[in-house]
Amino acid sequence: MNIKEIDLGINLTANGLIKYKKEFNAEICFVYIPSPATIYSPKIIYPQIYFPKKINSISASDNLKKSKYIRSKFNQILMKHDIPFRDSTDFLIDKANNMFIHGKIDQKHFNKNGYEYLAIFVANNIGNCFEK
């Protein structure tokens, strides 16, 4: 995805959260879960192609730059609307350095260990989302 497409996705997601917060007077904490490509950072990533594109692959360094951009942009937008942002990227990368935390068949979703680590991250970070 190019920056314009990334920004569109971020804005749609953030605006939905902001609208929900206002409409229901809800307390929201946004936990960012990175893609497997970001967690494992292979040298070259071949995205699924649903529509014809000119880009057949992306380097790990370019993927990490886009990932950092996405996380930074979400954080900036959500902070302006008092929605706490918690980024699980570094925590999950650390865990994935010791074991595979995604499914063997469905590699887009966590396996048992991956979900347990995500739950640990959320449990350790959700409490401070709503402290005033």
Side-chain angles (χ1 to χ4, degrees):
M1 292 181 8
N2 62 38
I3 294 299
K4 186 177 179 180
E5 293 167 330
I6 291 170
D7 283 342
L8 176 63
I10 291 169
N11 289 328
L12 287 170
T13 302
N15 289 338
L17 291 169
I18 294 162
K19 181 180 177 185
Y20 184 88
K21 178 182 177 172
K22 288 178 181 175
E23 190 172 328
F24 296 102
N25 194 28
E27 291 191 63
I28 297 173
C29 183
F30 185 85
V31 176
Y32 182 83
I33 305 169
S35 73
T38 298
I39 290 173
Y40 301 105
S41 202
K43 289 182 182 181
I44 297 178
I45 301 156
Y46 297 94
Q48 287 183 324
I49 303 297
Y50 295 105
F51 303 103
K53 294 258 186 180
K54 293 180 182 177
I55 299 172
N56 293 328
S57 66
I58 184 171
S59 70
S61 62
D62 286 343
N63 182 65
L64 288 175
K65 285 178 192 171
K66 285 184 178 183
S67 175
K68 287 179 183 178
Y69 174 82
I70 290 166
R71 292 179 274 152
S72 174
K73 189 88 170 185
F74 263 125
N75 191 34
Q76 290 171 11
I77 294 169
L78 296 176
M79 275 180 42
K80 289 179 186 175
H81 296 277
D82 294 320
I83 298 174
F85 176 86
R86 299 296 179 264
D87 183 3
S88 67
T89 303
D90 291 339
F91 179 82
L92 293 174
I93 287 172
D94 181 59
K95 299 304 178 189
N97 283 332
N98 299 317
M99 70 178 62
F100 196 61
I101 61 172
H102 286 79
K104 290 180 183 176
I105 296 172
D106 179 1
Q107 297 172 355
K108 294 179 193 173
H109 295 93
F110 292 120
N111 61 21
K112 180 181 180 283
N113 292 324
Y115 281 115
E116 285 177 2
Y117 287 130
L118 179 60
I120 289 167
F121 178 85
V122 170
N124 289 337
N125 288 276
I126 199 81
N128 62 10
C129 279
F130 306 112
E131 293 176 357
K132 299 285 179 177

